[in-house]
Amino acid sequence: MGLFGDVFGLAVATSVDIYNEEKKRISQEQKRLEKEAANREEQRNFIINSDIMFAKTLISVWVYTFQSDGIFEDTGKEFEFFKNLCDDFLLGEDKKIFLDLNLTDAELDEYEEIILDAIEKPLPISEIKSFTKGDNEFRLALLQQAIWCAKADEVVEKTEMKFLKDLAKELRISAMDRDLLFKKHEITTA
């Protein structure tokens, strides 16, 4: 075969080696990209589930607060306040809670339905407690939300006050922090 055959054979063998190495590199890169995509999807799902839980937690606290005085009718000030909270903050036209996730309309409708389920079946306080564990700011914000809801009809009933105190206790908010919020919002702790 001669020199030409040897060089040709070496070129083919080298090309095959290069091709196999490149194929291996591409395969590794593809696996890496697939793993990154899976991680992005996992992260996206985590964010969606966290946002859903956040919304269900808020709605549950609102519902419990509005129900605490025994007067939560779809014609009262409290209900109007509740409806505005849901529309403006969570589920209105912009679906603010999910703005950054580029969800399809079908996904938005599905998640909205899951969230609104908390109106009929609020999360147990134990779940709210668990979700807020270690986040003192969020727990204080929930108590503040509850205070606003209790004041929606301009009268904080004794049963609402009891609920607010019990909620603060369940969320492990100190009496001092609770009383500071009550004072800030002009609620007496009788």
Side-chain angles (χ1 to χ4, degrees):
M1 229 190 207
L3 182 60
F4 177 76
D6 290 342
V7 170
F8 180 75
L10 188 57
V12 168
T14 304
S15 295
V16 168
D17 287 345
I18 291 170
Y19 171 77
N20 286 336
E21 284 299 314
E22 185 61 15
K23 190 173 176 182
K24 192 166 133 182
R25 189 195 65 75
I26 289 171
S27 177
Q28 288 172 343
E29 181 67 10
Q30 185 176 5
K31 286 177 186 175
R32 185 188 68 76
L33 291 173
E34 287 171 357
K35 187 176 180 182
E36 281 181 15
N39 287 341
R40 277 193 302 275
E41 185 64 22
E42 191 176 303
Q43 184 178 23
R44 180 179 185 264
N45 289 337
F46 175 79
I47 292 168
I48 290 169
N49 290 331
S50 294
D51 286 351
I52 287 171
M53 188 62 179
F54 171 81
K56 288 174 78 170
T57 297
L58 274 178
I59 288 175
S60 296
V61 167
W62 296 340
V63 168
Y64 284 135
T65 306
F66 288 130
Q67 290 175 343
S68 68
D69 69 356
I71 308 167
F72 186 45
E73 300 169 355
D74 61 359
T75 56
K77 287 182 182 180
E78 288 181 341
F79 183 80
E80 193 62 31
F81 188 77
F82 174 74
K83 186 176 173 298
N84 288 335
L85 283 172
C86 287
D87 286 347
D88 292 345
F89 183 66
L90 295 175
L91 304 169
E93 197 174 297
D94 295 338
K95 309 247 193 269
K96 290 174 181 72
I97 193 163
F98 296 119
L99 275 181
D100 299 336
L101 297 173
N102 299 322
L103 299 173
T104 66
D105 287 342
E107 287 173 316
L108 286 171
D109 291 343
E110 176 188 348
Y111 301 145
E112 181 175 324
E113 192 174 314
I114 291 169
I115 290 168
L116 290 177
D117 189 47
I119 294 171
E120 296 296 321
K121 298 178 219 153
L123 296 173
I125 294 292
S126 61
E127 260 186 78
I128 293 170
K129 219 163 98 171
S130 177
F131 184 66
T132 62
K133 187 177 182 179
D135 190 343
N136 196 46
E137 272 187 53
F138 186 36
R139 292 192 309 262
L140 287 168
L142 284 176
L143 181 59
Q144 184 164 299
Q145 292 281 318
I147 290 169
W148 289 335
C149 292
K151 290 185 70 171
D153 62 359
E154 298 170 15
V155 177
V156 178
E157 302 290 337
K158 286 182 183 179
T159 55
E160 289 172 311
M161 179 58 83
K162 180 181 178 341
F163 171 75
L164 293 172
K165 287 179 178 181
D166 290 347
L167 179 63
K169 185 177 179 179
E170 286 290 332
L171 294 177
R172 295 196 166 121
I173 295 172
S174 72
M176 184 182 76
D177 285 342
R178 177 201 69 201
D179 291 346
L180 283 172
L181 274 176
F182 285 178
K183 184 177 179 180
K184 177 181 176 182
H185 295 285
E186 300 174 352
I187 294 180
T188 58
T189 58

